[in-house]
Structures are given as structure tokens and as C-alpha cells.
Amino acid sequence: MAYVVTEACVNCKYTNCAAVCPVDAFREGPNFLVINPDECIDCDACRSECPVEAIYPDDEVPADQEHYIDWNARLAEKWDAHVINETKDALPDADAWATKSKTVDDIVQDW
Ligand code: SF4
Ligand code: F3S
């Protein structure tokens, strides 16, 4: 099992989650964070840190967002060099995006 970052994070990237992970499982993309499923130890520390409730254990991911399980695994590999283990400023329009619907098409994959 592993925890998964889902749609609500896209274009927000508040990063509160990354600072509490005991195993540095988070990877950073330009406008989204993911969790490396091979490193996550299911400690549950990050879930309550996210102000937009983007993080779920993989067996609780809402049905319409289950594709994010694969996207976390794939982007964690792609962004392997971009470990994030501290809080940074959220993206400039994070608060505006927090209530909007987003899709994987909104994820910027390349730094
Ligand atoms: Fe890190 Fe724990 Fe969150 Fe997994 S559940 S990503 S180990 S803080
Ligand atoms: Fe994203 Fe929430 Fe972390 S918005 S960066 S999953 S605190």
C-alpha cells in the first residue's frame, strides 16, 4: 500500500505534506507533488497536513481519481531527482485553484 496525491493538489502545491514525511517519499513537479509508492511507509502523517485534502491511502482513493495511483508511480520515477522534504511557498494562484476542478491534463510534467 502507499499514499497517493490526487487532483486537488494540481496548481496548488501547498507543500505542507512534504515537511512531515519521515522517509522523504515526496517528489516535486512544477505544479504537483506525488508520493513514491516504493518509499511510502503508510504512516498517515501527511494526510491531515494538506489543506485541500488531496492525499488518500491507495485503497481509499475516490473512484473517479483512481488513475492518480498510476500517475504518482510514474511521475515519482520521472521526478526522482526532485525530492522535496520541506515546505515552500504555494503556487501564486493556489487559493483560486483550490476550489476548481482539475484533471491530469493540467499537470505540468517537465521542469
Ligand atoms: Fe510519507 Fe507517511 Fe505520507 Fe507515506 S503516508 S507519504 S510515509 S508522510
Ligand atoms: Fe499538494 Fe496538499 Fe501537499 S496541495 S503539495 S498534497 S499539502
Side-chain angles (χ1 to χ4, degrees):
M1 209 178 99
Y3 279 56
V4 177
V5 184
T6 64
E7 163 184 305
C9 178
V10 178
N11 284 340
C12 292
K13 212 168 78 162
Y14 286 104
T15 72
N16 309 45
C17 54
V20 301
C21 181
V23 294
D24 294 352
F26 283 88
R27 298 295 186 278
E28 183 180 13
N31 68 341
F32 187 49
L33 253 58
V34 294
I35 294 169
N36 183 327
D38 296 328
E39 296 179 2
C40 174
I41 58 170
D42 304 325
C43 75
D44 198 49
C46 56
R47 186 180 193 176
S48 60
E49 293 294 317
C50 179
V52 292
E53 300 181 354
I55 302 174
Y56 296 87
D58 59 10
D59 60 354
E60 292 180 28
V61 174
D64 64 349
Q65 297 195 46
E66 283 181 345
H67 52 295
Y68 278 89
I69 298 171
D70 286 341
W71 278 76
N72 273 241
R74 194 162 59 74
L75 292 175
E77 198 168 316
K78 183 177 176 73
W79 297 336
D80 188 50
H82 296 272
V83 173
I84 176 168
N85 55 15
E86 60 185 8
T87 301
K88 301 180 174 180
D89 289 341
L91 292 174
D93 296 326
D95 292 348
W97 276 103
T99 53
K100 290 182 186 166
S101 150
K102 297 157 270 187
T103 75
V104 290
D105 291 338
D106 295 309
I107 298 173
V108 179
Q109 298 191 40
D110 294 311
W111 276 102

